[in-house]
Amino acid sequence: MHGEGSAVDEKQGMEWFERSAHAGNIDAQVMLAECHLKGIGCKADISAAVFWYEKAAAMSHPTAQFELAQLYSATAAHISSSSGSSAEDRAWMYARVSANPTRDLDAAVRHCTEAADAGHADAALFLQQQLDPLVRKAKAVN
């Protein structure tokens, strides 16, 4: 989206990602999902973001798997305790959670484990520090 020597055109960049994503380019699917998630070049749409992350995750894209794990595990408590996150980042995450009230820890763990197994270091850390405690807590409640 940031061409050298030209002005940034997020909408046009998003359109190119969309063309490539529809053609089956998994990196474009991940970028398109991010555009939808953050409202870059379009109105933010978490359902569209999840759709494109799921398509890329089905093709074993570790970043898509990790992003899905974060989305499926997101809770307000998790966001407010995110260390190192700016107030702006936390506000953005709250918007993600409120737009996606369905929480699926099983899917989160599955996607995060797949990403970690593929060598995604942030996924391995997230699995250990965030998901494992959530799963233990959920099991204790049941």
Side-chain angles (χ1 to χ4, degrees):
M1 283 199 272
H2 302 285
E4 293 206 19
S6 62
V8 174
D9 186 343
E10 292 177 344
K11 186 173 177 121
Q12 185 177 28
M14 193 258 187
E15 289 170 2
W16 281 108
F17 286 138
E18 190 165 26
R19 288 180 189 177
S20 294
H22 281 287
N25 182 305
I26 60 173
D27 291 324
Q29 291 170 350
V30 171
M31 293 303 297
L32 183 58
E34 185 175 336
C35 288
H36 282 294
L37 190 63
K38 295 181 178 180
I40 299 171
C42 63
K43 183 178 177 187
D45 180 350
I46 198 166
S47 296
V50 168
F51 173 82
W52 287 108
Y53 279 139
E54 285 284 1
K55 285 189 78 74
M59 299 299 290
S60 302
H61 195 290
T63 299
Q65 294 164 332
F66 177 54
E67 290 296 327
L68 284 170
Q70 292 180 93
L71 285 168
Y72 287 141
S73 67
T75 67
H78 169 247
I79 294 163
S80 62
S81 68
S82 295
S83 61
S85 297
S86 68
E88 183 178 304
D89 287 342
R90 286 192 303 274
W92 178 73
M93 286 294 292
Y94 275 117
R96 284 171 86 172
V97 172
S98 64
N100 184 24
T102 304
R103 189 165 158 222
D104 186 344
L105 280 180
D106 291 337
V109 170
R110 183 181 76 252
H111 285 300
C112 202
T113 300
E114 290 169 352
D117 288 349
H120 196 290
D122 289 338
L125 190 61
F126 187 76
L127 186 62
Q128 178 186 16
Q129 294 182 345
Q130 300 293 333
L131 290 180
D132 286 346
L134 284 174
V135 170
R136 281 195 301 275
K137 187 176 180 180
K139 286 181 180 177
V141 171
N142 296 331

